[in-house]
Amino acid sequence: MKFDVDDHLRAAKRCASSLERDGNLAHAVTLVRSYSTTIEDLWDAVTNAERLPRWFLPISGDLEPGGRYELEGNASGVITGCEPPTHLAITWEFGGDVSWLDIRLSRDDAGVTHLALTHTALDSEHWAEYGPGAVGVGWELAALGLSLYLAQPTAPKPDEATFSASREGKSFIAGSSEGWGEAAVASGMTPDAARVACDRTTAFYTGESS
């Protein structure tokens, strides 16, 4: 699949921070991307069960506030907040752990719609090993898929394994991981620790040893 890797990497704004959640140390990863569509269309693309599989994953469940959802082969959780077309909050339950996802949409005076996604998780060995790129790269890949889908709604969804093995895919993953490494340093992680975490994250997503 051909696309401008650098353009898409520059389109992402990345931020990592540490905070307290329910009295425990937690870490938040925030990704912001902009899309040339209406806020209503972006909201629909993010929440509509018929459109989600075209760029993300099939979803099932009671897709109403308070209901439980399940993403095929991935996470499940509870819809804890829903204010169309600007705010969605859910729990993210995966591998026996619970974290929290908050999505906010806004539209500026130039007619551009912005998506801000924040994923918050309690402190863990996983964070120490991979840093913010552990979830940041995954969400950035999803944001890329959303961008490609909105640009060409009828095009087939790229195969994940084929993409990750392609030159463009590896370049995008490495660049995203580097960006999250920079966000890690800005949040207080030492450059050496951020570099190790970045290499591990890139190796995880590309399937290649660091």
Side-chain angles (χ1 to χ4, degrees):
M1 178 180 61
K2 302 294 184 180
F3 66 98
D4 193 311
V5 172
D6 290 337
D7 275 358
H8 282 282
L9 289 173
R10 285 192 295 266
K13 296 180 180 178
R14 310 169 188 88
C15 178
S17 60
S18 297
L19 65 155
E20 186 177 287
R21 174 93 191 198
D22 300 329
N24 298 299
L25 175 63
H27 303 284
V29 171
T30 299
L31 170 69
V32 180
R33 272 212 62 165
S34 301
Y35 299 92
S36 297
T37 188
T38 66
I39 193 170
E40 291 81 9
D41 182 54
L42 186 59
W43 174 266
D44 190 66
V46 169
T47 61
N48 187 324
E50 294 183 0
R51 296 180 72 183
L52 270 170
R54 301 179 196 174
W55 63 272
F56 192 45
L57 291 168
I59 190 170
S60 60
D62 181 14
L63 306 183
E64 299 288 342
R68 288 195 62 84
Y69 73 89
E70 183 171 355
L71 290 164
E72 186 176 292
N74 203 293
S76 60
V78 177
I79 300 170
T80 58
C82 184
E83 301 171 49
T86 60
H87 180 228
L88 176 68
I90 60 177
T91 61
W92 188 264
E93 302 172 19
F94 182 79
D97 294 324
V98 179
S99 53
W100 302 268
L101 194 66
D102 188 271
I103 298 173
R104 295 183 183 273
L105 306 186
S106 60
R107 189 166 175 80
D108 63 24
D109 294 337
V112 177
T113 303
H114 308 281
L115 183 152
L117 180 152
T118 299
H119 195 152
T120 304
L122 297 179
D123 187 47
S124 65
E125 292 183 5
H126 191 259
W127 176 271
E129 187 173 3
Y130 292 97
V135 296
V137 172
W139 286 122
E140 198 166 339
L141 285 166
L144 169 65
L146 177 56
S147 179
L148 298 175
Y149 161 67
L150 291 173
Q152 294 183 293
T154 60
K157 179 184 174 183
D159 178 74
E160 183 177 340
T162 301
F163 173 79
S164 297
S166 70
R167 183 176 63 181
E168 289 83 1
K170 290 179 180 179
S171 180
F172 181 83
I173 289 168
S176 173
S177 188
E178 290 283 347
W180 287 108
E182 293 172 5
V185 173
S187 73
M189 184 179 286
T190 68
D192 287 345
R195 167 47 53 193
V196 172
C198 173
D199 290 344
R200 286 173 175 159
T201 298
T202 301
F204 173 82
Y205 279 98
T206 60
E208 298 179 348
S209 57
S210 57

